[in-house]
Amino acid sequence: MTPPIEYDPDAVHTSVLTFRWVVRRTGDDAQYEASGTCPVCTCPMTRTWVFGQPPVAKGGFFNRREEPGPAPFHTLCQCRTLHMNRPASEPRGCGALLTIAAPPSPGQSGATP
Ligand SMILES: [Zn+2]
Ligand SMILES: [Zn+2]
């Protein structure tokens, strides 16, 4: 048995991970859901991004892009495992910052199995 790892806000996983993407479109908005395994704590995790019209035009950007684009995505680990010493402000994850490869470009339509 491996002991549960502690929450570590300084953990950074630098290599780009390939997660499984699920895209849902609602009107002008698109919801991109990335699922995979956090390499730091080895728990499964899912993170969702929403693209479309930014809700606020001036100033605020809210981490929204209009389209995903080719740049990798950054997210804190969002696993549901309770890691020790996790601050109350962080409801999920082990604290690791992960880099996820961007989803395939949405050019082609058609159903994905
Ligand atoms: Zn975890
Ligand atoms: Zn993790």
Side-chain angles (χ1 to χ4, degrees), residues 5 38 40-44 77 79-83 86 93-94:
I5 73 159
C38 171
V40 176
C41 66
T42 69
C43 308
C77 174
C79 77
R80 291 167 181 276
T81 306
L82 182 64
H83 291 293
R86 186 162 64 200
C94 67

Side-chain angles (χ1 to χ4, degrees), residues 64-111:
R64 264 192 169 197
R65 311 181 212 172
E66 282 199 37
E67 286 294 334
F73 286 64
H74 298 277
T75 181
L76 289 173
C77 174
Q78 298 285 307
C79 77
R80 291 167 181 276
T81 306
L82 182 64
H83 291 293
M84 285 184 293
N85 300 330
R86 186 162 64 200
S89 56
E90 292 290 339
R92 292 180 188 174
C94 67
L97 180 65
L98 309 178
T99 306
I100 301 173
S105 66
Q108 319 96 328
S109 56

